[in-house]
Amino acid sequence: MLLYDSLTRQKVELPPPPGPIRMYVCGPTVYQRIHIGNARPYLVFLWMKRWLVERGYDVTLVENITDINDKIYAAAAREEIGSSALAAKATEWYREDTAGLGLERPDVEPLATETVGEIVALIEELVQRGLAYESSGDVYYRVAAFPDYGRLSGADPDEMVAQEPSDLKEDPRDFALWKATKAHEDTSWDSPWGKGRPGWHIECSAMAEKHLGPEFEIHGGGLDLRFPHHENEIAQSQGAGRRFAHIWAHNGMLQLDEEKMSKSLGNIVSLREVLERYGAEAILVFFLGAHWRSPIDYSDEAMEAARTQAESFRTAFRVAAQRSDAPPWEDFVAALEDDFKTPTALAHLHEWRAAGQLELLERGLRIFGLDVSEAAEAPGEVRKLAEQRARARDERRFEDADRLRARIEDEGWEVQDVADGYRLIPIK
């Protein structure tokens, strides 16, 4: 499989199955319900995992939850609630809302608060290597001491402005690894530099290493994280002597009225709202329609179109006759093996639907958590009638089979013959 690497700006071939393939994805900072754009990396990298497993890989997917962050303190103060309580509540919201998409969870969903010991140890190592320094209880990374800084994002260190202005820094470009506790902050942890808490970037370096080791295959996240977050992760982890990620995979951003959807901008539509209005299947089809690295425009019209497409898959069983003029499975494989081209894969799914190729359609939809039929089970009496009809067909008693089909339809079900027997579908 080929996957585009943001670091080298070219497609990179993954090792052959079974790998292993270890994936780390930057998850949400939890202080309110996530928006529909936050669902994109969650889906993209779960889909990649599902496809890799389908292709015979041994895959581990880790997606973190950032529950220590300046944004959490600020939101907690506005709501007059403890920051830990807000982060815990928002973590529950995140898990509830993403569960509504109907896919499995990542293999590990670590919390920053569970990783403080590893974070402190990594910072100590950077200080010992001369790549970090303490200043009045804060600890900063020396950007000038890491020659490759800027390679991922293309940022020129000589033209950089301060990421977080502070008089405590040796160099305005340096970034915080550890922050001394401030008066408005209601949580803190012990460290060699006094009570404080981690900076955002060091959290991911430590969590990735804790759960995947010092070297792993894929690091994913939204394109907006490439700088400074991922640039800083590289500096921290490689500065500490780790190989870290082989491939950097950045999904494109979701846009609302041609502007990136962002909690900080306030132009958000929550995932919960979209689930309640359109349903999970429409969301899945919506994101399938754009290449994972491209931006995607959110609108009511786009969601209505996606819902219509999802409905067409659910009613695919109504195609009367199967046609052979449809792409083979190998074409679907080729699309996903070449940088995970889901729009091409989606086109093949529709071709299979139109041609009545239900076995191929079901196999392809399953990769993305979709199905061709309603998830309803026929009552026992209906299943019994269907078994009697199947025997009548086998014995070439076609009049009896037609009579049994009519009885099944009277009960509100449609029976469809497929290669491995029959399928019962509720009639709407």
Side-chain angles (χ1 to χ4, degrees):
M1 180 173 177
L2 295 171
L3 201 61
Y4 184 83
D5 175 25
S6 298
L7 185 65
T8 60
R9 275 81 168 167
Q10 61 186 7
K11 295 177 186 177
V12 176
E13 187 172 359
L14 296 183
I21 300 295
R22 295 155 295 184
M23 304 171 66
Y24 181 87
V25 178
C26 287
T29 298
V30 284
Y31 59 94
Q32 63 182 55
R33 285 200 180 270
I34 66 166
H35 60 70
I36 181 64
N38 298 137
R40 194 178 198 191
Y42 182 85
L43 283 174
V44 162
F45 294 103
L46 266 175
W47 281 339
M48 282 188 186
K49 178 195 170 179
R50 292 165 73 100
W51 177 244
L52 290 168
V53 169
E54 170 79 10
R55 300 297 288 165
Y57 283 94
D58 174 18
V59 188
T60 302
L61 174 60
V62 177
E63 182 170 335
N64 80 291
I65 296 173
T66 296
D67 60 346
I68 309 171
N69 190 275
D70 292 313
K71 294 178 180 179
I72 299 172
Y73 290 121
R78 287 194 301 270
E79 297 188 25
E80 299 182 343
I81 185 176
S83 63
S84 295
L86 176 60
K89 184 164 69 170
T91 298
E92 290 179 13
W93 290 336
Y94 168 69
R95 288 175 172 155
E96 288 172 4
D97 294 349
T98 50
L101 295 167
L103 302 181
E104 71 278 8
R105 307 301 305 174
D107 297 294
V108 188
E109 295 180 273
L111 302 175
T113 50
E114 299 172 340
T115 321
V116 174
E118 290 83 359
I119 292 169
V120 169
L122 183 55
I123 296 172
E124 286 187 290
E125 191 169 344
L126 290 168
V127 171
Q128 291 166 4
R129 288 171 173 260
L131 288 167
Y133 58 93
E134 187 271 342
S135 179
S136 298
D138 290 353
V139 181
Y140 294 98
Y141 188 95
R142 286 190 174 99
V143 168
F146 187 72
D148 278 348
Y149 195 88
R151 185 178 167 211
L152 175 67
S153 63
D156 185 345
D158 293 332
E159 297 179 1
M160 280 177 53
V161 297
Q163 296 175 31
E164 295 178 276
S166 173
D167 294 336
L168 300 177
K169 296 181 182 181
E170 294 178 352
D171 184 326
R173 302 170 299 177
D174 296 346
F175 59 88
L177 303 174
W178 187 260
K179 300 181 178 183
T181 302
K182 310 299 188 295
H184 68 283
E185 298 173 355
D186 60 353
T187 57
S188 64
W189 289 263
D190 292 326
S191 81
W193 317 284
K195 283 194 172 292
R197 43 89 178 196
W200 174 33
H201 316 296
I202 196 69
E203 294 173 353
C204 282
S205 282
M207 284 187 279
E209 181 172 351
K210 179 178 181 178
H211 296 285
L212 296 177
E215 181 176 356
F216 52 95
E217 284 67 39
I218 300 171
H219 193 313
L223 185 62
D224 59 334
L225 299 180
R226 187 170 57 174
F227 184 86
H229 186 51
H230 289 166
E231 195 76 74
N232 291 352
E233 282 188 57
I234 291 174
Q236 293 161 167
S237 295
Q238 293 190 358
R242 280 61 160 171
R243 168 67 175 81
F244 208 50
H246 295 188
I247 296 172
W248 289 85
H250 291 103
N251 64 269
M253 307 309 294
L254 186 141
Q255 300 176 151
L256 182 64
D257 296 328
E258 299 184 354
E259 186 174 50
K260 184 191 83 169
M261 191 176 289
S262 165
K263 286 178 279 189
S264 60
L265 293 174
N267 62 337
I268 64 171
V269 180
S270 75
L271 172 58
R272 173 54 46 193
E273 291 176 75
V274 183
L275 280 167
E276 290 174 351
R277 183 170 181 182
Y278 297 104
E281 290 186 337
I283 295 172
L284 299 180
V285 173
F286 169 67
F287 282 119
L288 279 176
H291 189 275
W292 65 277
R293 289 192 286 113
S294 300
I296 183 170
D297 293 318
Y298 177 88
S299 67
D300 291 338
E301 293 78 12
M303 290 307 304
E304 289 289 357
R307 180 158 59 183
T308 299
Q309 289 187 68
E311 178 66 19
S312 75
F313 290 133
R314 284 198 300 273
T315 58
F317 58 86
R318 299 188 186 280
V319 174
Q322 188 179 97
R323 305 196 319 264
S324 59
D325 58 336
W329 177 254
E330 289 71 24
D331 287 3
F332 183 83
V333 171
L336 296 180
E337 292 288 278
D338 184 10
D339 200 27
F340 208 61
K341 292 177 179 173
T342 59
T344 305
L346 180 61
H348 291 330
L349 293 171
H350 280 297
E351 290 175 285
W352 290 334
R353 173 190 56 76
Q357 295 282 354
L358 294 187
E359 290 186 32
L360 289 174
L361 179 60
E362 285 186 306
R363 185 179 178 187
L365 288 173
R366 197 179 306 120
I367 299 298
F368 304 111
L370 293 160
D371 198 356
V372 297
S373 61
E374 301 284 358
E377 184 175 352
E381 181 61 29
V382 173
R383 295 198 303 273
K384 188 177 190 180
L385 291 170
E387 290 291 343
Q388 292 172 3
R389 177 182 172 276
R391 285 197 297 273
R393 281 174 54 82
D394 289 344
E395 295 167 5
R396 304 184 68 78
R397 293 185 286 110
F398 297 117
E399 288 187 8
D400 288 343
D402 289 343
R403 176 177 52 80
L404 288 163
R405 175 191 285 276
R407 288 183 60 186
I408 292 167
E409 290 177 353
D410 288 343
E411 295 292 329
W413 291 82
E414 179 177 341
V415 61
Q416 182 191 13
D417 298 307
V418 294
D420 57 352
Y422 62 85
R423 184 200 321 274
L424 289 167
I425 306 295
I427 298 174
K428 293 186 176 181

